[in-house]
């Protein structure tokens, strides 16, 4: 009896199966990267204001926990990600704990883990966590550039220096600044850049590029949530 399946179908089915398997393997990395960028920042923000030294100490928890997970093959991916995330947590603790009223050194502090990450990538080690860190740093860079582009830096400085009861009025003033047509066009430009980079990265088959993409794209989510907070302030 002749099969109803054509040779072309027989060829495409294994390809589709392999593609589905690749996506299934990479998707947890992508989702974990989104989680690590978007969720912990809202935990760290209040912690670093109340207990900056505790926030700084948590960096060791991420780092040592990641190293411990690396010893177990089943947890190696998560250990890799945890170590990469530890650099972003360290930078956030240092900047928002003690240096938050100086926006001009924000990016240099955020890049504190860059030398280590470059060395690791050059040695093809811990690439998932390292690319996650690079994606997070790139997203932060684009967000900061937007702040410079639409002249939001004075509001940043003011919000960090006024009493907590007056922060709402500062955020409202900053919101008016970004509602202008020019600011909206520039925001859309930055959005297109983030989406393009994230989409191009996710086309790669390697898990580290999916971590990079997740970190870049989740920047959009974090920025949107902070914008919502300013609207509701």
């Amino acid at each position: 009896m002749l099969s109803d399946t054509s040779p072309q179908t027989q060829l495409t089915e294994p390809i589709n199966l392999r593609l589905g398997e690749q996506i299934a393997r990479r998707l947890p990395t992508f989702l974990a990267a989104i989680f690590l960028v978007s969720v912990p920042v809202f935990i760290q923000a209040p912690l670093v204001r109340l207990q900056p030294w505790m926030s700084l100490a948590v960096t060791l928890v991420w780092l040592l926990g990641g190293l411990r997970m690396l010893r177990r093959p089943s947890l190696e991916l998560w250990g890799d990600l945890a170590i990469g995330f530890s650099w972003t947590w360290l930078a956030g603790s240092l900047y928002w704990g003690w240096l938050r009223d100086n926006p001009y050194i924000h990016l240099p502090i955020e890049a504190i883990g860059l030398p280590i990450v470059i060395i690791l990538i050059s040695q093809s080690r811990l690439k998932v966590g390292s690319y996650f860190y690079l994606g997070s740093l790139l997203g932060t860079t684009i967000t900061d550039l937007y702040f410079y582009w639409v002249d939001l830096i004075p509001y940043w400085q003011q919000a960090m220096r006024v009493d907590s009861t007056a922060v709402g009025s500062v955020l409202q003033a900053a919101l008016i600044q970004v509602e202008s047509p020019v600011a909206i066009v520039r925001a859309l430009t930055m959005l297109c850049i983030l989406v393009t980079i994230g989409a191009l990265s996710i086309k790669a088959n390697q898990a580290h590029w999916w971590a990079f993409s997740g970190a870049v794209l989740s920047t959009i989510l974090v920025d949107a949530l902070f914008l919502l907070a300013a609207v509701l302030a």
Side-chain angles (χ1 to χ4, degrees):
M1 184 176 180
L2 295 176
S3 173
D4 294 332
T5 306
S6 66
Q8 184 177 359
T9 304
Q10 292 175 345
L11 287 173
T12 56
E13 284 181 350
I15 294 174
N16 292 335
L17 182 60
R18 288 196 299 270
L19 181 60
E21 291 175 348
Q22 289 175 358
I23 292 175
R25 287 197 299 268
R26 308 306 179 214
L27 187 59
T29 306
F30 179 78
L31 296 176
I34 292 177
F35 176 86
L36 287 174
V37 170
S38 57
V39 176
V41 67
F42 295 101
I43 299 173
Q44 187 179 33
L47 176 63
V48 79
R49 276 186 171 272
L50 298 174
Q51 296 289 339
W53 285 106
M54 181 180 294
S55 179
L56 188 62
V58 171
T59 305
L60 288 176
V61 176
W62 287 106
L63 183 58
L64 296 177
L67 291 172
R68 188 177 182 86
M69 284 188 285
L70 283 178
R71 299 174 184 174
R72 302 180 61 180
S74 61
L75 298 176
E76 185 176 358
L77 173 64
W78 311 117
D80 193 342
L81 266 174
I83 292 172
F85 177 71
S86 69
W87 311 130
T88 64
W89 186 277
L90 171 63
S93 298
L94 290 173
Y95 180 78
W96 297 107
W98 293 277
L99 306 166
R100 58 179 175 266
D101 61 343
N102 188 349
Y104 300 104
I105 63 172
H106 180 231
L107 280 180
I109 297 299
E110 288 290 339
I112 192 170
L114 191 57
I116 297 175
V117 164
I118 290 175
I119 293 172
L120 290 172
I121 291 176
S122 67
Q123 298 177 352
S124 295
R125 297 171 57 197
L126 304 181
K127 293 176 71 173
V128 174
S130 295
Y131 274 77
F132 163 81
Y133 171 78
L134 291 179
S136 178
L137 180 60
L138 177 62
T140 300
T141 301
I142 291 176
T143 300
D144 278 24
L145 288 177
Y146 176 74
F147 270 66
Y148 284 102
W149 205 9
V150 297
D151 198 25
L152 286 175
I153 297 300
Y155 299 99
W156 181 335
Q157 292 176 307
Q158 190 176 358
M160 295 298 108
R161 293 171 180 171
V162 299
D163 186 78
S164 58
T165 57
V167 171
S169 61
V170 177
L171 293 179
Q172 288 294 323
L175 189 61
I176 295 174
Q177 181 79 2
V178 301
E179 287 178 342
S180 68
V182 173
I184 292 173
V185 170
R186 291 175 177 177
L188 291 175
T189 301
M190 293 298 191
L191 176 63
C192 289
I193 292 173
L194 287 169
V195 171
T196 301
I197 294 174
L200 290 175
S201 301
I202 207 172
K203 288 184 177 181
N205 291 328
Q206 296 89 348
H208 57 270
W209 280 114
W210 282 57
F212 178 86
S213 176
V216 170
L217 292 176
S218 56
T219 302
I220 302 171
L221 175 61
V222 173
D223 290 346
L225 290 174
F226 277 115
L227 178 61
L228 178 63
V231 171
L232 298 176

